[in-house]
Amino acid sequence: WLVSDNMHHQWLLLAACFWVIFMFMVASKFITLTFKDPDDYGAKQEPLILTAVTKVEEVHVPEEKHWPEEFQPTGKAFSGNLIRQPLVHMERLEQKNACRDTALRNLSHTAVSKFVLDRIFVCDKHKILFCQTPKVGNTQWKKVLIVLNGAFSSIEEIPENIVHDHEKNGLPRLSSFSDFEIKKRLNLYFKFFIVRDPFERLISAFKDKFVHNPRFEPWYRHEIAPGIIRKYRKNRTETKGLQFEDFVRYLGDPNHRWLDVQFGDHIIHWVTYVELCAPCEITYSVIGHHETLEDDAPYILKAAGIDHLVSYPTIPPGITVYNKTKVERYFSGISKRDIRRLYARFEGDFKLFGYREPDFLLN
């Protein structure tokens, strides 16, 4: 009888322990759901409407406040400071004062030609123009516009092979309109594009087109790469594929245009932002930076008045951060002469968009 009584007490104690553990788990789950960070990129989330920049005008900012250096338009991150974004974007637009620098005129001005108009995609329904600048998250912005134009109801439904198929994605180019309609849209529509540190963008273009080539575009390796090698490789006995050194020598050559003509529109992945979007000729509403895209994307959607209709796809952690070590590694075997010639060509992009001169490479 005593043994049976002891076992009964042990079972009661064990049951009580399980009850305590169960209640603790329920309480923990409640706390997690209540205080979960909505910007936690590590968790699987449903698509969210990005409304991070709301009621900015209600935030009181003292007049004597001086913004620290990290909020200047240098491509640095300012996550968590979204209320300051209007100031940041105003400063970025003011950076275009470099357009008036006569010493930079050849590097900052370009005609609004068919080449430029071909880069600008149109959303008439919401009066938006987006200038395509490859290697800065351009594909995701195209998806946003495809949804806004009504070709698909959500970004998740868009097949990857449709995004860049301009006969099927429902994205008209500005060049497809009459001169009158082009001017009207340039004057009245919300206009934006995205930039990135110019040298890091070139590294990304080189890797994407000549190393990995994930979209299977064989002409980059089999037609464009051999043309660059024939002209710019110093050691003609080498048989390896296009090297970054060859690529840099081609881009820095003042007479590069004769090859560009042969390559056609494929050069959009490495020509300057000036040549792509004519920022000194077209008055853009917002110029976003790839390095701060986590903050810039919701700001652009809000400024364009479409934040309640579509959201920018989730950005993997760290993917937009400037990687100085990677830049140093790629340029480590390249002569200072070739790097300086490359910078001379892209100096307009550095100066117009607030990117610091890469002294660690030039000197």
Side-chain angles (χ1 to χ4, degrees):
W1 180 82
L2 291 174
V3 173
S4 176
D5 189 53
N6 287 336
M7 290 181 64
H8 179 70
H9 281 86
Q10 288 175 0
W11 278 110
L12 287 175
L13 182 62
L14 187 60
C17 290
F18 275 117
W19 176 254
V20 171
I21 292 171
F22 174 75
M23 293 302 294
F24 178 77
M25 291 174 65
V26 171
S28 299
K29 185 67 174 178
F30 175 78
I31 292 170
T32 301
L33 291 173
T34 304
F35 298 103
K36 183 176 177 61
D37 182 359
D39 294 324
D40 180 11
Y41 288 106
K44 182 176 177 60
Q45 303 178 42
E46 294 299 317
L48 299 176
I49 299 300
L50 298 178
T51 56
V53 188
T54 57
K55 298 185 179 179
V56 175
E57 67 277 4
E58 296 180 7
V59 179
H60 175 69
V61 181
E63 291 184 3
E64 67 274 9
K65 178 71 174 179
H66 297 288
W67 303 117
E69 183 182 359
E70 62 263 31
F71 297 118
Q72 300 304 314
T74 57
K76 289 187 177 182
F78 44 87
S79 182
N81 296 280
L82 293 179
I83 61 171
R84 295 178 178 137
Q85 278 205 301
L87 174 66
V88 171
H89 287 279
M90 285 175 62
E91 288 177 332
R92 287 179 181 173
L93 293 175
E94 289 172 1
Q95 197 73 28
K96 285 176 58 180
N97 288 336
C99 292
R100 295 192 290 270
D101 187 340
T102 54
L104 284 176
R105 183 164 184 83
N106 290 337
L107 297 171
S108 60
H109 290 265
T110 190
V112 183
S113 62
K114 185 179 183 301
F115 180 80
V116 171
L117 297 175
D118 277 345
R119 311 280 75 78
I120 300 177
F121 294 97
V122 181
C123 175
D124 276 330
K125 186 175 181 180
H126 299 283
K127 295 182 170 54
I128 296 171
L129 300 180
F130 167 61
C131 186
Q132 174 189 22
T133 49
K135 316 318 304 170
V136 295
N138 164 74
T139 298
Q140 307 291 37
W141 284 112
K142 277 188 175 181
K143 290 178 180 178
V144 168
L145 292 184
I146 289 170
V147 170
L148 290 173
N149 273 353
F152 292 87
S153 59
S154 71
I155 286 175
E156 291 73 24
E157 294 179 10
I158 305 173
E160 289 298 322
N161 63 325
I162 293 293
V163 178
H164 300 291
D165 187 335
H166 298 119
E167 294 182 359
K168 298 179 180 178
N169 64 15
L171 281 183
R173 299 174 187 262
L174 192 55
S175 58
S176 65
F177 296 87
S178 68
D179 288 348
F180 173 79
E181 293 295 330
I182 289 171
K183 291 178 181 177
K184 182 176 74 173
R185 285 164 176 77
L186 286 174
N187 286 331
L188 300 178
Y189 282 20
F190 178 90
K191 301 172 287 294
F192 77 100
F193 67 100
I194 312 296
V195 296
R196 180 182 189 177
D197 175 85
F199 279 7
E200 193 172 38
R201 172 181 169 245
L202 294 179
I203 292 171
S204 179
F206 174 78
K207 288 169 59 181
D208 183 54
K209 299 306 175 187
F210 300 106
V211 180
H212 303 305
N213 202 248
R215 294 199 186 109
F216 188 66
E217 300 163 308
W219 50 87
Y220 284 101
R221 289 182 182 174
H222 301 312
E223 298 176 24
I224 295 177
I228 296 174
I229 290 171
R230 282 193 299 270
K231 174 67 177 176
Y232 297 102
R233 177 160 294 177
K234 289 183 177 179
N235 186 354
R236 297 300 177 85
T237 62
E238 290 182 357
T239 58
K240 56 187 177 183
L242 184 72
Q243 301 297 295
F244 190 64
E245 182 180 9
D246 307 321
F247 190 56
V248 167
R249 198 170 291 119
Y250 149 60
L251 293 177
D253 183 358
N255 299 312
H256 62 86
R257 293 188 185 279
W258 73 273
L259 263 187
D260 289 352
V261 172
Q262 296 179 44
F263 298 157
D265 281 1
H266 300 307
I267 63 173
I268 65 172
H269 297 277
W270 53 77
V271 298
T272 66
Y273 299 127
V274 170
E275 293 169 284
L276 289 170
C277 297
C280 287
E281 283 66 39
I282 297 173
T283 304
Y284 285 92
S285 312
V286 176
I287 299 172
H289 281 214
H290 184 260
E291 293 82 359
T292 53
L293 194 56
E294 291 88 346
D295 294 337
D296 288 3
Y299 177 85
I300 290 169
L301 295 176
K302 179 73 175 179
I306 55 173
D307 56 308
H308 62 294
L309 299 173
V310 66
S311 58
Y312 190 84
T314 301
I315 302 170
I319 198 170
T320 63
V321 177
Y322 174 72
N323 191 335
K324 182 180 177 182
T325 301
K326 178 181 69 176
V327 175
E328 288 178 319
R329 184 174 73 251
Y330 268 84
F331 282 93
S332 62
I334 299 175
S335 71
K336 296 296 181 184
R337 170 184 172 274
D338 287 338
I339 297 176
R340 291 191 185 106
R341 291 179 71 173
L342 182 70
Y343 177 75
R345 179 181 174 189
F346 287 87
E347 184 180 4
D349 282 358
F350 277 94
K351 296 286 179 65
L352 280 172
F353 307 111
Y355 288 100
R356 294 191 180 96
E357 181 178 316
D359 292 330
F360 64 96
L361 298 177
L362 299 171
N363 303 318

